[in-house]
Amino acid sequence: MQTQKVIDHIVNWLKDYATKARVNGYVIGVSGGVDSGVVSTLAAMTELKTLLIEMPIRQKADQVDRAKDHMEDLKSRFPNVESMSVDLTPAFEELYKTFDVKDDLYPNEKLAFANTRSRLRMLTLYYYGQLNGLLVCGTGNKVEDFGIGFYTKYGDGGVDVSPIADLYKTEVYTLAKGLNLVKSIQEAIPTDGLWDVDRTDEQQIGATYPELEKIQKEYGTKTAEDYEGRDKEVFLIFDRMHKAAKHKMEPIPICDIPEEWRN
């Protein structure tokens, strides 16, 4: 990958989009992961106002520390960068008490609460974005957004722009190195940070990002019969998740009313 050309292209795209939209810049949720680290740096490079928000919800200390280290690093490098921490744990705890049901009756409760965390962060970003005249900048990559749908609908999927959604995860890591992100971000193990227990992306998905990328690049041209061994296992994982997440990737279905019925 021609790293510097990709960096310059995304920065110019972000700057042009914000200018045409007549906004002041971007707001980005910083998680301590490589995706948000790369996106926030690219936004900072536009020289437009860039607001970084760390939003812990029952968060692990190492994730919080990485996010804060990254925000401090960017502020030291770019005068247009501002940062803030919004502790959403108290708000989430109130929702938890309000929504809580019996796990044995509703086995999907833990997943629903994980998605609730993501949606709580989304509304926080839009709140501060509107206060400051900023667009919400998404941090999803190509595998997550268009491969397996590994994001929360109207959570981290609720954004105004998606600058790295055409980049595979391995390419995002390449950009992280080219952008000279702090080492802890470059070496961070991918995790969505939405669970009370440590659950990496690989543990949740059952495959690594490089394995998924291989399948995604061939998806639609090959079937399960074209693979064997581990590749076939990953194909079946990708195929299952891709089909289950179609509703996230396609426009909201609209029930069309025949025109002759309007008269």
Side-chain angles (χ1 to χ4, degrees):
M1 185 172 69
Q2 300 180 57
T3 305
Q4 193 56 51
K5 284 189 176 181
V6 172
I7 290 171
D8 293 340
H9 177 71
I10 297 175
V11 171
N12 290 332
W13 183 85
L14 284 170
K15 191 168 187 176
D16 184 61
Y17 193 94
T19 300
K20 289 179 178 177
R22 298 182 180 180
V23 297
N24 298 323
Y26 294 98
V27 58
I28 301 102
V30 176
S31 65
V34 69
D35 293 323
S36 66
V38 165
V39 169
S40 54
T41 305
L42 294 169
M45 292 172 67
T46 65
E47 300 181 346
L48 300 172
K49 181 171 180 176
T50 302
L51 177 59
L52 314 180
I53 307 182
E54 185 246 341
M55 299 169 285
I57 303 175
R58 296 181 177 178
Q59 223 64 36
K60 303 294 181 294
D62 63 321
Q63 296 170 11
V64 173
D65 290 342
R66 285 200 307 270
K68 289 182 176 179
D69 288 346
H70 173 68
M71 293 192 298
E72 290 304 314
D73 178 62
L74 280 194
K75 285 194 295 182
S76 71
R77 294 163 57 188
F78 300 96
N80 54 309
V81 171
E82 300 176 17
S83 71
M84 60 188 299
S85 293
V86 181
D87 186 2
L88 295 177
T89 300
F92 178 76
E93 297 298 353
E94 287 301 314
L95 286 173
Y96 189 90
K97 287 188 290 185
T98 301
F99 293 164
D100 192 25
V101 294
K102 293 182 178 179
D103 291 357
D104 56 338
L105 295 178
Y106 299 93
N108 284 331
E109 185 189 31
K110 286 184 173 59
L111 177 59
F113 272 130
N115 287 326
T116 297
R117 295 192 197 197
S118 185
R119 291 174 180 133
L120 186 54
R121 289 177 177 137
M122 180 274 290
L123 69 87
T124 303
L125 291 173
Y126 272 98
Y127 174 80
Y128 285 103
Q130 191 157 34
L131 286 184
N132 293 279
L134 306 172
L135 294 176
V136 176
C137 198
T139 62
N141 58 67
K142 192 167 187 172
V143 178
E144 293 171 342
D145 283 9
F146 301 112
I148 57 174
F150 194 62
Y151 62 90
T152 298
K153 195 173 186 178
Y154 305 122
D156 51 330
V159 299
D160 294 315
V161 295
S162 293
I164 63 168
D166 196 33
L167 291 174
Y168 290 105
K169 188 79 168 188
T170 51
E171 294 175 322
V172 176
Y173 274 104
T174 300
L175 286 196
K177 184 177 181 180
L179 292 167
N180 195 30
L181 268 59
V182 294
K183 278 291 184 182
S184 61
I185 297 288
Q186 291 190 45
E187 298 170 356
I189 298 173
T191 178
D192 59 16
L194 298 178
W195 304 84
D196 289 335
V197 295
D198 285 323
R199 297 182 64 180
T200 66
D201 289 356
E202 182 178 348
Q203 288 171 331
Q204 291 191 64
I205 299 167
T208 66
Y209 281 104
E211 288 177 325
L212 294 166
E213 289 173 18
K214 177 183 178 181
I215 300 302
Q216 186 170 1
K217 291 173 182 177
E218 300 172 343
Y219 194 68
T221 65
K222 293 185 176 182
T223 65
E225 286 67 37
D226 295 310
Y227 297 98
E228 58 183 21
R230 178 59 180 166
D231 284 346
K232 185 168 187 176
E233 291 177 6
V234 177
F235 176 88
L236 294 173
I237 291 171
F238 185 97
D239 185 59
R240 172 179 54 80
M241 295 186 72
H242 180 79
K243 289 176 179 176
K246 274 288 188 180
H247 67 97
K248 300 182 184 180
M249 307 174 200
E250 297 177 347
I252 299 172
I254 296 174
C255 178
D256 291 324
I257 306 301
E259 195 59 38
E260 60 269 22
W261 294 0
R262 299 178 186 276
N263 300 320

